[in-house]
Amino acid sequence: MSSLRQHGYRLLLLAIFTLAWSWAAWEPLHPDDWLLENYLVFAALPIILLSTRIFPLSNVSYTLITLFMCLHVIGSHYTYAEVPFGVTLGEWLDTERNMYDRLVHFSFGLLLAYPAREILIRLAGLRGFWAYFFPVDITFALSSIYEIIEWLAARSVSPELGIAFLGSQGDIWDAQKDMLLAGLGAILAMSIVLALNLWLNANTWRDIRNSVQVPAGDRTLGETKLLQWWRKRHGH
């Protein structure tokens, strides 16, 4: 794909998100909760836009990121516990709970694990098994960090706003279930990527096997490396 076409596609994604965000920002159901939810957008969007010039990702990654952010701002318009589609989703799953927040947490892993994988492969040089494992690992870690941030933010505002922001709907295990769903979404995403790689790349299994083999000349770190540095520093 030419550079001009890539630029045009990314502008299209930005326009789609801008429309979604503008709709969500127009008379939200709970303005204070809308603002809390959008701190994530205010922090992430400039980073994404600036990084496109320094470290551009694939159009696949940008599409997945845009879709997740659109899902997030829809939740911010209603609050996650009051999104109309969440009621419908709850009926499909035979529960009275509004399930939109569960959908978004699952989508966090499903949609963002691949961009994380692309970054890890290109910057950290991950390969084989580790290129599938660490996106899942990072998803669990980021999900837990978000739950901690969510808890701290909810403690800092009024009780009514905190309850709306948490969206736990009376479930004492809400945070743990959200983290689990995010992880399951990431596992599904990496399973899809693995299946595609097995189909399209004949070397996939070989790369996975090689990535978990101990390389020739491997040495322990810890005290071994410290002693090596010490001897080098003192001329031994």
Side-chain angles (χ1 to χ4, degrees), residues 12-77:
L12 174 62
L13 292 177
L14 180 60
I16 291 171
F17 174 72
T18 301
L19 288 173
W21 184 87
S22 299
W23 169 83
W26 180 257
E27 297 184 350
L29 194 62
H30 299 285
D32 290 339
D33 180 69
W34 174 89
L35 181 60
L36 275 178
E37 299 285 3
N38 274 270
Y39 283 137
L40 172 65
V41 177
F42 300 150
L45 189 59
I47 295 173
I48 294 171
L49 293 176
L50 289 173
S51 68
T52 58
R53 303 185 66 86
I54 303 170
F55 185 74
L57 300 177
S58 65
N59 284 347
V60 171
S61 287
Y62 285 129
T63 301
L64 295 173
I65 292 169
T66 301
L67 180 54
F68 174 76
M69 293 184 70
C70 286
L71 290 173
H72 174 69
V73 297
I74 290 171
S76 74
H77 178 80

Side-chain angles (χ1 to χ4, degrees), residues 161-194:
L161 179 55
I163 291 173
F165 181 58
L166 288 175
S168 59
Q169 302 179 57
D171 187 350
I172 61 172
W173 305 112
D174 181 68
Q176 289 81 359
K177 291 176 182 178
D178 289 345
M179 289 185 284
L180 174 62
L181 283 171
L184 291 176
I187 291 171
L188 177 57
M190 291 301 98
S191 298
I192 294 171
V193 173
L194 175 60

Side-chain angles (χ1 to χ4, degrees), residues 171-236:
D171 187 350
I172 61 172
W173 305 112
D174 181 68
Q176 289 81 359
K177 291 176 182 178
D178 289 345
M179 289 185 284
L180 174 62
L181 283 171
L184 291 176
I187 291 171
L188 177 57
M190 291 301 98
S191 298
I192 294 171
V193 173
L194 175 60
L196 288 173
N197 285 342
L198 289 171
W199 177 37
L200 298 171
N201 183 3
N203 297 323
T204 297
W205 276 125
R206 185 192 66 186
D207 293 340
I208 290 175
R209 288 195 303 269
N210 290 342
S211 69
V212 295
Q213 292 178 351
V214 179
D218 176 71
R219 295 290 185 273
T220 59
L221 297 176
E223 72 285 352
T224 304
K225 196 66 177 180
L226 290 172
L227 183 59
Q228 179 185 343
W229 288 341
W230 176 269
R231 289 173 173 171
K232 184 177 180 180
R233 180 180 180 87
H234 293 278
H236 295 299

Side-chain angles (χ1 to χ4, degrees), residues 64-107:
L64 295 173
I65 292 169
T66 301
L67 180 54
F68 174 76
M69 293 184 70
C70 286
L71 290 173
H72 174 69
V73 297
I74 290 171
S76 74
H77 178 80
Y78 295 100
T79 77
Y80 274 80
E82 299 182 53
V83 177
F85 177 68
V87 177
T88 303
L89 185 58
E91 292 173 354
W92 293 348
L93 298 173
D94 194 25
T95 177
E96 295 182 359
R97 190 185 197 280
N98 189 304
M99 296 296 287
Y100 188 79
D101 68 322
R102 299 282 194 246
L103 172 65
V104 175
H105 282 280
F106 179 76
S107 298

